[in-house]
């Protein structure tokens, strides 16, 4: 059968207009027609469930077969085995129907061959396709054709444990064993063994499976946070955040003193409120980041006095309870922001203080992860059972 040309863009537009003006009960949408007949380029069909994606895929395949394309030339991926089975059944029914309806002898013979080849067509999940592909071509990368997939997490964990312990021993006895020992202790906590490190290694390894090249990511991105660390810039950001939260707190407390606080003239918390305002008032345009951090620390300390009740309105008068509750709720919101900032300052200070030491540990960790990834790939390639963990999420490509 001689190949038949695909529709041009102009012909597709005419077909869309003809479909729109037809008297059919169920019409193809303009987008469906475009997806079915567009050729010569990659297209992406993105639509919600039940909108006809499988129908469009089937119609596109049928159109290509009718133009002389062989079913063996197509790779058709579905998300589930069930979807692949349904698609094959739909194609079998449609091809049989076309054979009955056409009077073109060449087309009838061509479609008959496609129908006969349909059971062997590459229609299925990515997992099934890659298994077939490796079964046929795996010898090129030293994968035996009798490989099998690790079926459960227990088998996968056994493989990772075996590789981890081998790499661990190599590093523990290696030339940088002192640095590696420090790395192990860093993750050990109270356990005083390698479990903490192993957990982190497995988490990073699982993440690496979502990257296009684990080794490239380890080489280019693993240490990026250390290499690009700019503590002065981060401190400036924190200072601006401190200014904002202190300004918000000052505005709220002054508004409260000018309004609702007049209902509680002798309340003990008002003295603490004034102390906070005095601390904020001590700041000016000449104040540096350390001054702002010091004021923040003192205000947080004030809030923790009297078991955290120094700034709380403890009025028991029933008629004033709504005012007291509203004040206490907003106070908690304001001081939650201050508490978060205080924690961030502590963390940043810790990071800056131990930056060089942790960077050195991170380099050791990077080397360990690289060796772990390399060995697990080698074991996967040479040892049975082979671990083929394939996590593929792809759009439908035509």
């Amino acid at each position: 059968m001689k190949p038949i040309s695909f529709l041009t863009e102009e012909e597709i537009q005419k077909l869309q207009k003809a479909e729109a003006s037809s008297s059919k009960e169920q019409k193809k949408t303009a987008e469906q027609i475009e997806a079915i007949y567009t050729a010569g380029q990659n297209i992406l069909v993105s639509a919600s469930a039940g909108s006809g994606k499988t129908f469009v895929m089937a119609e596109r395949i049928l159109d290509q077969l009718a133009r002389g394309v062989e079913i063996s030339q197509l790779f058709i991926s579905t998300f589930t085995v069930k979807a692949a089975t349904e698609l094959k059944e739909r194609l079998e029914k449609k091809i049989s129907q076309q054979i009955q309806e056409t009077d073109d002898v060449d087309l009838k013979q061509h479609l008959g061959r496609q129908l006969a080849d349909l059971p062997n067509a590459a229609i299925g999940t990515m997992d099934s396709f890659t298994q077939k592909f490796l079964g046929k071509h795996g010898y090129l990368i030293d994968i035996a054709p009798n490989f099998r997939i690790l079926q459960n997490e227990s088998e996968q964990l056994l493989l990772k444990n075996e590789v981890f312990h081998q790499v661990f021993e190599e590093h523990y006895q290696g030339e940088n064993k002192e640095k590696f020992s420090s790395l192990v202790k860093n993750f050990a906590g109270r356990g005083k063994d390698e479990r903490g490190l192993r957990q982190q290694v497995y988490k990073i390894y699982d993440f690496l499976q979502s990257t296009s090249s684990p080794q490239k990511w380890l080489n280019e991105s693993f240490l990026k946070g250390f290499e690009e660390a700019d503590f002065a810039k981060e401190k400036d950001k924190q200072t601006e955040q401190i200014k904002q939260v202190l300004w918000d707190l000052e505005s709220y407390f002054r508004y409260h003193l000018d309004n609702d606080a007049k209902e509680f003239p002798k309340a003990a918390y008002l003295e603490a409120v004034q102390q906070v305002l005095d601390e904020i008032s001590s700041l000016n345009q000449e104040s540096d980041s350390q001054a702002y951090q010091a004021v923040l620390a003192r205000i947080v300390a004030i809030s923790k006095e009297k078991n955290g009740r120094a700034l709380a309105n403890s009025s028991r008068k029933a008629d004033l309870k709504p005012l007291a509750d509203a004040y206490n709720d907003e106070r908690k919101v304001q001081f939650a922001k201050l508490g978060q900032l205080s924690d961030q300052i502590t963390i940043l200070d810790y990071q800056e203080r131990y930056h060089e030491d942790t960077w050195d540990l991170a380099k050791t960790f990077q080397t360990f992860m690289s060796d772990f990834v390399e060995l697990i790939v080698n074991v996967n390639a040479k040892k049975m059972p082979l671990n083929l963990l394939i996590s593929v999420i792809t759009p439908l490509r035509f």
Side-chain angles (χ1 to χ4, degrees), residues 109-122:
Q109 291 177 346
H110 170 70
L111 292 176
R113 290 195 300 273
Q114 308 320 305
L115 187 62
D117 290 342
L118 188 60
N120 299 319

Side-chain angles (χ1 to χ4, degrees), residues 294-306 308 310-311 335:
V295 168
L296 176 64
R298 288 195 292 270
I299 291 176
V300 171
I302 291 172
S303 71
K304 293 181 179 179
E305 293 175 359
K306 297 181 180 180
L311 289 162
F335 275 87

Side-chain angles (χ1 to χ4, degrees), residues 126-136 147 149 388 390:
M126 283 297 298
D127 282 6
S128 64
F129 170 75
T130 49
Q131 287 180 57
K132 290 179 182 178
F133 185 84
L134 283 174
K136 186 176 182 179
F147 69 82
I149 293 177
L388 291 176
I390 306 168

Side-chain angles (χ1 to χ4, degrees), residues 9 62 79 105 152 237 241:
E9 185 176 346
L62 291 167
F79 193 73
V105 177
N152 56 55
K237 287 182 181 179
Q241 291 175 331

Side-chain angles (χ1 to χ4, degrees), residues 202-362:
Y202 291 178
K203 286 180 181 179
I204 295 173
Y205 175 77
D206 290 342
F207 162 75
L208 289 172
Q209 302 317 294
S210 66
T211 66
S212 59
S213 174
Q215 288 289 7
K216 182 179 179 182
W217 189 91
L218 286 171
N219 292 332
E220 297 180 0
S221 302
F222 190 78
L223 298 175
K224 186 173 290 187
F226 291 94
E227 295 166 348
E228 298 180 356
D230 188 339
F231 293 104
K233 183 178 179 180
E234 291 302 317
K235 286 182 178 180
D236 288 342
K237 287 182 181 179
Q238 282 188 344
T239 300
E240 292 303 314
Q241 291 175 331
I242 295 172
K243 288 180 181 179
Q244 184 62 49
V245 295
L246 291 182
W247 185 87
D248 290 344
L249 181 63
E250 181 184 29
S251 298
Y252 175 67
F253 272 174
R254 292 199 182 283
Y255 175 84
H256 178 69
L257 292 178
D258 292 340
N259 295 275
D260 296 344
K262 293 178 180 179
E263 300 291 338
F264 313 95
K266 297 182 180 181
Y269 79 95
L270 294 177
E271 182 180 348
V273 168
Q274 189 58 55
Q275 289 178 359
V276 170
L277 290 174
D278 291 343
E279 288 290 348
I280 297 175
S281 297
S282 69
L283 297 167
N284 54 53
Q285 292 182 346
E286 303 300 323
S287 300
D288 57 15
S289 61
Q290 290 184 340
Y292 275 95
Q293 288 183 16
V295 168
L296 176 64
R298 288 195 292 270
I299 291 176
V300 171
I302 291 172
S303 71
K304 293 181 179 179
E305 293 175 359
K306 297 181 180 180
N307 294 322
R309 303 289 298 173
L311 289 162
N313 187 336
S314 303
S315 175
R316 296 182 179 180
K317 294 182 179 180
D319 58 330
L320 296 178
K321 191 174 187 304
L323 288 179
D325 288 346
Y327 161 80
N328 286 327
D329 289 343
E330 180 60 25
R331 170 184 59 83
K332 290 177 182 177
V333 171
Q334 295 287 342
F335 275 87
K337 296 177 183 178
L338 267 66
Q340 290 175 356
L341 264 178
S342 180
D343 291 342
Q344 291 172 12
I345 290 170
T346 301
I347 292 172
L348 185 64
D349 180 64
Y350 185 88
Q351 290 175 336
E352 182 178 22
R353 188 183 311 168
Y354 296 102
H355 179 68
E356 293 300 326
D357 292 337
T358 53
W359 193 352
D360 203 34
L361 282 181

Side-chain angles (χ1 to χ4, degrees), residues 13-290:
Q13 291 174 354
K14 288 181 180 179
L15 191 58
Q16 289 171 326
K17 292 178 181 178
E19 185 75 8
S21 60
S22 70
S23 58
K24 297 178 182 178
E25 290 186 7
Q26 291 186 330
K27 301 178 184 179
K28 299 185 186 76
T29 66
E31 291 80 7
Q32 287 177 329
I33 292 173
E34 184 178 12
I36 292 169
Y37 297 106
T38 298
Q41 64 185 47
N42 290 332
I43 67 171
L44 172 65
V45 176
S46 178
S48 59
S51 58
K53 293 190 296 296
T54 304
F55 166 76
V56 168
M57 179 184 273
E59 291 296 310
R60 184 175 177 84
I61 295 167
L62 291 167
D63 179 69
Q64 296 205 9
L65 297 181
R67 296 178 186 281
V69 175
E70 301 283 337
I71 191 73
S72 60
Q73 295 177 275
L74 302 178
F75 166 56
I76 304 157
S77 176
T78 60
F79 193 73
T80 65
V81 174
K82 180 182 177 182
T85 302
E86 291 175 352
L87 182 58
K88 281 187 176 182
E89 291 174 352
R90 183 176 299 193
L91 290 173
E92 181 180 9
K93 181 179 178 180
K94 286 283 188 177
I95 294 173
S96 299
Q97 184 179 337
Q98 286 182 333
I99 292 173
Q100 294 295 324
E101 293 176 352
T102 185
D103 293 327
D104 187 318
V105 177
D106 289 341
L107 178 58
K108 191 183 291 284
Q109 291 177 346
H110 170 70
L111 292 176
R113 290 195 300 273
Q114 308 320 305
L115 187 62
D117 290 342
L118 188 60
N120 299 319
I123 302 175
T125 63
M126 283 297 298
D127 282 6
S128 64
F129 170 75
T130 49
Q131 287 180 57
K132 290 179 182 178
F133 185 84
L134 283 174
K136 186 176 182 179
H137 303 289
Y139 69 91
L140 295 172
I141 52 174
D142 297 326
I143 294 178
N146 62 335
F147 69 82
R148 74 180 182 90
I149 293 177
L150 296 185
Q151 295 294 330
N152 56 55
E153 293 184 3
S154 296
E155 289 183 292
Q156 298 165 21
L157 184 59
L158 285 173
L159 179 64
K160 286 194 285 189
N161 285 344
E162 179 183 341
V163 172
F164 175 83
H165 286 298
Q166 182 174 336
V167 178
F168 184 91
E169 286 301 319
E170 290 174 357
H171 281 256
Y172 198 72
Q173 302 294 335
E175 58 182 20
N176 293 318
K177 58 184 179 182
E178 292 183 2
K179 290 183 178 179
F180 183 69
S181 180
S182 297
L183 177 67
V184 175
K185 291 178 181 178
N186 183 72
F187 291 109
R190 295 181 179 179
K192 297 182 179 180
D193 56 26
E194 82 283 358
R195 282 180 295 180
L197 174 63
R198 186 171 68 236
Q199 290 175 357
Q200 295 302 318
V201 168
Y202 291 178
K203 286 180 181 179
I204 295 173
Y205 175 77
D206 290 342
F207 162 75
L208 289 172
Q209 302 317 294
S210 66
T211 66
S212 59
S213 174
Q215 288 289 7
K216 182 179 179 182
W217 189 91
L218 286 171
N219 292 332
E220 297 180 0
S221 302
F222 190 78
L223 298 175
K224 186 173 290 187
F226 291 94
E227 295 166 348
E228 298 180 356
D230 188 339
F231 293 104
K233 183 178 179 180
E234 291 302 317
K235 286 182 178 180
D236 288 342
K237 287 182 181 179
Q238 282 188 344
T239 300
E240 292 303 314
Q241 291 175 331
I242 295 172
K243 288 180 181 179
Q244 184 62 49
V245 295
L246 291 182
W247 185 87
D248 290 344
L249 181 63
E250 181 184 29
S251 298
Y252 175 67
F253 272 174
R254 292 199 182 283
Y255 175 84
H256 178 69
L257 292 178
D258 292 340
N259 295 275
D260 296 344
K262 293 178 180 179
E263 300 291 338
F264 313 95
K266 297 182 180 181
Y269 79 95
L270 294 177
E271 182 180 348
V273 168
Q274 189 58 55
Q275 289 178 359
V276 170
L277 290 174
D278 291 343
E279 288 290 348
I280 297 175
S281 297
S282 69
L283 297 167
N284 54 53
Q285 292 182 346
E286 303 300 323
S287 300
D288 57 15
S289 61
Q290 290 184 340

